[in-house]
Amino acid sequence: MYPTTLAVIALTFSNYVLQPAFQNCLPPYIATRLLATICILFLTWVNCSSVRWATRIQDVFTVGKLLALALIIVVGLVQICRGHYDALRPSVAFEFSQDPSVGQIALAFLQASFAYSGWNFLNYVTEEVVEPRKNLPRAIYISIPLVTLVYTMTNIAYFSSMTPEELLASNAVAVTFGEKLLGMFSWVMPISVALSTFGGINGYLFTSSRLCFSGAREGHLPYLLAMIHLKNCTPIPALLVCVSTVLPVLSTLSNMHNLINYVSFINYLSYGVTIAGLLYLRKKRPNLARPIKVQININGKNKMSLRFFFFLLCDLVDLYSEPVVCGLGMVIMLTGVPVYFVGVQWKDKPKWIYRVKVCYVVFPQEDPSETEPLTASKAND
């Protein structure tokens, strides 16, 4: 899932950087892939070198992303105040260009969910969060409504000056928006979006490497991925695995919309399985220690069960309407099976494998005092 997502964001970065030079056509295939590869390799080097550099890049480019979106929203609101809101009228906004089907509606959910797929990233770096019991729920409660508001207002701004046909025909919507409304300052938009996607690539590398790192410590991935650099304390093996898996995806799969469908299908499937596991544990092990509890029964209705069936229904409909796309998504996910059996289940590996030293990495020393506050809980908590 993460290599495919990284490929999508890296291709978006390349398209926005190169689009001003190829206004009337698509950027060359080779140039787009090459620039995306260079960006991923550079940010991998940054994340391998220093955690502080990676977090500072993320902070700076997140601020840049919000400023770019704020510019789009302000310009769009000005257009609406001037009376340019024909595309926002219900008669136009809800007009279908073709007869809708259940499969198309389900695919629309998949496409839209990709924009919000980062809502759970903070969970992967919980160990590096100060006071996670307090700050993790607070960050989620603040970020999800904020992102929803910003994305909604951004789309309203787009429709204040562009028709649905223009949006679908554009290879870089923000660039087209800037060319129509910003005039000589239209160059601001491709630069702003490129910076935004650059920070997004950095964030995905940072979180996905921690996910591999944590999975290896729990025995779900080869234990080599649980090693960190001796001096920099960065999970270099996990980062190298992430970048080595994204490059084949980037070079072989070219259709960005299909890539988004792959990721969204796997996301929905993963969310459904996770919720099913949560419901199972709530029933079978009700007194299990839970550092952070989520209330799933509201007014007598099991909201979590409704979400589970929603994700399951979307996956089934998508599988029926787009069997090839969803099938490839399943193939991408199942590539982890042989890795698990070779790296985890195979216990009698040659001894020389354990003596190989790569990138001066070592296994981190576990301190029980660091994990005790997150796992200790009363039976009735």
Side-chain angles (χ1 to χ4, degrees):
M1 181 176 66
Y2 281 94
T4 310
T5 305
L6 273 169
V8 171
I9 302 178
L11 289 173
T12 305
F13 166 80
S14 300
N15 282 329
Y16 272 93
V17 171
L18 298 175
Q19 189 63 42
F22 302 90
Q23 296 183 1
N24 299 323
C25 61
L26 289 172
Y29 177 90
I30 297 178
T32 303
R33 267 59 185 177
L34 180 60
L35 183 58
T37 302
I38 292 174
C39 177
I40 291 175
L41 292 176
F42 172 74
L43 288 175
T44 301
W45 173 78
V46 171
N47 279 268
C48 289
S49 301
S50 172
V51 175
R52 178 172 296 181
W53 288 4
T55 54
R56 285 184 176 177
I57 286 177
Q58 193 62 37
D59 293 341
V60 170
F61 284 93
T62 299
V63 173
K65 175 192 298 186
L66 292 176
L67 290 177
L69 292 173
L71 175 61
I72 294 174
I73 292 171
V74 170
V75 173
L77 291 177
V78 171
Q79 284 292 102
I80 293 175
C81 292
R82 291 178 176 177
H84 301 283
Y85 49 81
D86 292 339
L88 294 172
R89 297 180 186 275
S91 59
V92 178
F94 295 98
E95 181 182 3
F96 293 103
S97 59
Q98 57 182 350
D99 294 332
S101 65
V102 176
Q104 290 174 338
I105 295 175
L107 286 177
F109 272 107
L110 287 185
Q111 293 279 332
S113 68
F114 179 81
Y116 299 90
S117 60
W119 63 271
N120 56 345
F121 279 7
L122 190 61
N123 297 282
Y124 305 150
V125 292
T126 303
E127 288 183 325
E128 301 175 51
V129 175
V130 178
E131 297 186 31
R133 281 177 176 268
K134 179 192 300 183
N135 292 326
L136 180 61
R138 182 182 299 174
I140 293 175
Y141 294 148
I142 293 174
S143 62
I144 292 181
L146 178 62
V147 170
T148 303
L149 175 64
V150 170
Y151 280 8
T152 303
M153 295 301 296
T154 301
N155 281 279
I156 291 175
Y158 285 150
F159 280 105
S160 68
S161 60
M162 303 173 66
T163 64
E165 291 74 17
E166 288 178 315
L167 284 170
L168 291 173
S170 175
N171 297 315
V173 177
V175 173
T176 306
F177 178 84
E179 290 174 349
K180 296 189 67 171
L181 297 182
L182 299 181
M184 60 180 298
F185 295 102
S186 60
W187 55 268
V188 173
M189 296 315 304
I191 292 179
S192 299
V193 178
L195 295 178
S196 171
T197 50
F198 187 83
I201 296 171
N202 181 75
Y204 263 90
L205 282 171
F206 188 86
T207 54
S208 60
S209 62
R210 270 62 182 179
L211 184 62
C212 292
F213 174 79
S214 299
R217 290 197 310 180
E218 296 294 330
H220 303 152
L221 289 170
Y223 200 48
L224 173 66
L225 302 183
M227 302 181 76
I228 61 175
H229 191 269
L230 184 62
K231 295 182 179 179
N232 299 335
C233 297
T234 53
I236 290 182
L239 283 164
L240 293 180
V241 166
C242 290
V243 72
S244 63
T245 51
V246 69
L247 293 181
V249 174
L250 191 61
S251 59
T252 57
L253 302 176
S254 58
N255 192 312
M256 192 179 302
H257 290 287
N258 284 344
L259 289 175
I260 293 175
N261 287 335
Y262 299 154
V263 175
S264 301
F265 175 78
I266 297 173
N267 263 335
Y268 273 35
L269 182 62
S270 301
Y271 294 158
V273 172
T274 302
I275 294 172
L278 176 61
L279 295 174
Y280 176 82
L281 290 176
R282 281 290 176 91
K283 182 178 180 180
K284 295 296 184 179
R285 303 182 65 181
N287 296 324
L288 186 68
R290 293 178 171 87
I292 298 175
K293 293 185 65 175
V294 178
Q295 184 66 32
I296 62 175
N297 292 298
I298 303 176
N299 297 327
K301 298 180 179 179
N302 197 327
K303 300 294 184 181
M304 200 66 72
S305 297
L306 294 178
R307 294 188 182 96
F308 166 70
F309 288 111
F310 169 74
F311 291 135
L312 180 62
L313 179 62
C314 285
D315 272 333
L316 291 177
V317 173
D318 293 327
L319 188 60
Y320 172 78
S321 59
E322 292 286 344
V324 176
V325 173
C326 296
L328 288 175
M330 289 291 293
V331 170
I332 292 174
M333 183 171 62
L334 292 176
T335 54
V337 175
V339 176
Y340 175 78
F341 279 103
V342 174
V344 179
Q345 288 290 92
W346 183 22
K347 302 298 184 181
D348 300 328
K349 299 185 183 68
K351 294 183 179 180
W352 62 266
I353 294 180
Y354 300 97
R355 292 196 295 264
V356 174
K357 295 182 179 179
V358 183
C359 302
Y360 300 101
V361 292
V362 295
F363 291 110
Q365 182 177 2
E366 296 184 1
D367 186 356
S369 64
E370 294 181 357
T371 58
E372 184 177 356
L374 292 177
T375 56
S377 177
K378 296 180 180 179
N380 60 353
D381 188 12

